[in-house]
Amino acid sequence: MEKIIIHKSTGKPIGKTGGSIWISKDVNDQLEAISDETGIAKQRITDFLLRKALAVTVIEESEI
């Protein structure tokens, strides 16, 4: 599987609150379609996909 690379930012991190997050409409539509097709709740699908993505995410120093 391909790695997901995130480059470190030199700015301050954005707040670390828990709870709800906002996602774009197109991502929401894709999650909704997967939920409708599989019968699995959108929240469970989102958690599953994020866990898979986090497992292959690498943090690197920014070249900027």
Side-chain angles (χ1 to χ4, degrees):
M1 177 177 263
E2 216 175 292
K3 290 184 180 180
I4 297 171
I5 298 173
I6 299 175
H7 291 279
K8 289 184 180 180
S9 173
T10 57
K12 281 187 148 184
I14 298 174
K16 296 183 179 186
T17 61
S20 299
I21 60 169
W22 291 93
I23 57 173
S24 62
K25 182 174 177 359
D26 63 318
V27 171
N28 184 59
D29 292 345
Q30 290 178 31
L31 290 170
E32 194 74 43
I34 293 170
S35 177
D36 289 345
E37 185 175 338
T38 62
I40 301 170
K42 191 165 50 171
Q43 178 65 47
R44 289 190 64 200
I45 292 168
T46 303
D47 283 347
F48 173 78
L49 293 173
L50 285 172
R51 286 179 202 281
K52 291 292 187 179
L54 290 170
V56 296
T57 299
V58 176
I59 307 298
E60 294 185 349
E61 293 295 332
S62 178
E63 295 178 8
I64 299 175

